[in-house]
Amino acid sequence: QVQLVETGGGSVQAGGSLRLSCAASGYTVMHNCMAWFRQVTGKVREGVIVYWSTDDKTFAVYADSVRGRFTVSQDNAKNTVYLQMNNLKPEDTAKYYCAAAEGRARCYDLAQSAYNYWGQGTQVTVSE
């Protein structure tokens, strides 16, 4: 059974930073397709980053809204992926979700339909 557990959310002022973690079980993050999404209540869930890794490289696709501010990394020993969020803005306020796919056929796609497994989400709130 695949489980994804996000942690690290919280409240921060604009310009601040947060690092989210997604710990996976029943699924190996290395060599597989992972993604981060976010959702504001009442709005469609938005893809933020999709990425996959080889033994020594990470490939990522970033949404325009976060490019240059958010980065993704992983710790294979901990089977955990991270989302480092810098220079946060109030419009980044949302619940953030980790997602994982079976296979890499759509590992460029920021659509929800490309992912099979989801975490429960962690709230990020950015104030002025």
Side-chain angles (χ1 to χ4, degrees):
Q1 181 180 0
V2 175
Q3 285 192 317
L4 304 173
V5 179
E6 303 97 331
T7 56
S11 297
V12 64
Q13 288 191 319
S17 298
L18 283 172
R19 189 177 79 158
L20 307 183
S21 300
C22 172
S25 58
Y27 183 93
T28 302
V29 301
M30 190 171 65
H31 298 160
N32 279 311
C33 187
M34 305 288 296
W36 287 93
F37 285 74
R38 64 187 182 185
Q39 187 171 25
V40 177
T41 302
K43 295 192 175 181
V44 174
R45 194 170 292 186
E46 171 193 21
V48 174
I49 294 174
V50 55
Y51 84 102
W52 65 102
S53 63
T54 63
D55 289 338
D56 58 354
K57 291 183 181 179
T58 298
F59 302 88
V61 175
Y62 292 86
D64 290 342
S65 57
V66 305
R67 188 176 295 114
R69 300 187 298 121
F70 290 14
T71 56
V72 64
S73 63
Q74 67 187 48
D75 183 330
N76 294 328
K78 295 182 178 180
N79 208 32
T80 297
V81 299
Y82 303 99
L83 180 64
Q84 178 66 44
M85 306 185 294
N86 297 328
N87 191 22
L88 282 160
K89 303 176 181 181
E91 52 263 42
D92 294 318
T93 295
K95 195 166 188 179
Y96 284 71
Y97 296 87
C98 176
E102 290 287 355
R104 298 210 306 250
R106 292 177 65 185
C107 206
Y108 56 87
D109 198 337
L110 288 172
Q112 294 184 65
S113 60
Y115 301 91
N116 306 94
Y117 308 108
W118 294 84
Q120 82 290 347
T122 186
Q123 179 67 35
V124 171
T125 302
V126 185
S127 59
E128 296 280 0

